Amino acid sequence: MRVRFASFVFDSDTRELRDGDEQVHLAPKAFDLLELLLQSRPRALSKGEIRRRVWRDTHAGDRNLNVLVAELRKALGEDAREPRFVRTVFGFGYAFAGDAAADEPETGDVVGLAIRSRVLWERKVIPLAEGENILGRDDKAVVQVDVPGVSRRHARIRIERDRAILEDLGSKNGTYLKDERVLVPTPLWDGAVFRLGRNVLVYRSAPEKGSTVTEAPSPDDRPREPTG
């Protein structure tokens, strides 16, 4: 993920944050916190969710998080009383507040992920666009899965130049990736099988081959695309 905000460029692949031509030094967990906030923007994240994602299996309390947020704000040159980027949601957690956008590739021969990203469901191949793609029963959903057990706005896939992120939107029956419930924004990969409740879908990002019509899901819940 490569994101530009104000004079900063964040690159998760190289684990760099640059302010113009200058590299901004961040401790690993401060970098992880910024990545999480950027991935989830504009959604506010609870303190508990942030601690689970940043510290993973290591116990951390509110004090650890407060220190980390202060460190990140200092690196970004902002004041907690007038934040430009890290917004405090009092009594809840934090959110990224600044204007940010996926940074365009420097060369014109790089094919953007959004051009080839798609979701397979039953016999449908549904292309995804750059930015937010809603999945659910809503008539305006990009991936419309109008079946029982799926919420109107069940989940979303955010496409950023070189990354696809799956996120549950508070659905009743849950979103699952590799049979694990999606509780935080989670990266997808080509061929990733995920579920909206019991309904199996597949994310694809590799170039399509042959027909654009897919076969019905096989009994082992692994839908396939035909090769010819």
Side-chain angles (χ1 to χ4, degrees):
M1 177 177 71
R2 185 179 169 94
V3 178
R4 182 179 295 275
F5 58 97
S7 59
F8 296 96
V9 174
F10 174 92
D11 192 323
S12 61
D13 291 337
T14 62
R15 289 191 67 86
E16 286 184 307
L17 176 66
R18 303 192 73 86
D19 184 1
D21 294 330
E22 299 293 325
Q23 184 170 346
V24 179
H25 295 284
L26 285 176
K29 281 187 168 36
F31 188 94
D32 293 343
L33 173 60
L34 179 56
E35 180 178 22
L36 177 59
L37 293 174
L38 286 169
Q39 281 181 351
S40 306
R41 68 185 193 279
R43 186 170 73 91
L45 302 175
S46 70
K47 292 181 179 180
E49 185 174 352
I50 294 173
R51 289 196 300 267
R52 287 194 300 272
R53 184 66 180 270
V54 174
W55 276 272
R56 304 180 189 278
D57 297 330
T58 304
H59 175 74
D62 283 352
R63 184 177 181 279
N64 300 91
L65 180 55
N66 293 340
V67 170
L68 192 61
V69 169
E71 178 184 339
L72 178 57
R73 282 177 167 156
K74 182 178 179 180
L76 296 175
E78 70 172 24
D79 189 327
R81 292 169 295 184
E82 297 181 1
R84 293 190 298 157
F85 307 116
V86 183
R87 176 172 66 92
T88 299
V89 183
F90 292 100
F92 183 74
Y94 298 94
F96 187 85
D99 292 329
D103 196 40
E104 295 298 324
E106 295 180 359
T107 59
D109 58 352
V110 177
V111 178
L113 186 62
I115 295 175
R116 60 185 186 272
S117 291
R118 57 205 184 277
V119 164
L120 314 184
W121 178 59
E122 294 187 335
R123 291 183 174 273
K124 300 177 182 178
V125 178
I126 306 161
L128 304 179
E130 180 81 13
E132 180 182 275
N133 298 267
I134 299 297
L135 297 81
R137 292 190 296 107
D138 194 288
D139 291 341
K140 297 181 180 179
V142 174
V143 181
Q144 191 174 14
V145 184
D146 192 6
V147 296
V150 174
S151 301
R152 293 185 63 82
R153 290 170 59 88
H154 195 109
R156 69 179 170 192
I157 296 176
R158 182 189 295 276
I159 302 295
E160 299 172 346
R161 184 180 65 86
D162 57 355
R163 183 174 254 195
I165 304 295
L166 175 66
E167 181 180 359
D168 184 76
L169 296 179
S171 65
K172 180 178 179 181
N173 293 313
T175 301
Y176 297 83
L177 178 63
K178 294 180 66 176
D179 290 326
E180 293 186 7
R181 191 157 187 164
V182 175
L183 300 176
V184 298
T186 304
L188 290 172
W189 60 92
D190 180 43
V193 178
F194 64 98
R195 291 191 286 115
L196 306 184
R198 295 182 178 180
N199 298 275
V200 178
L201 303 91
V202 177
Y203 170 75
R204 295 304 310 270
S205 60
E208 292 184 88
K209 297 180 180 179
S211 172
T212 58
V213 178
T214 63
E215 297 180 351
S218 58
D220 60 356
D221 282 344
R222 289 180 295 178
R224 297 177 289 114
E225 283 185 285
T227 57

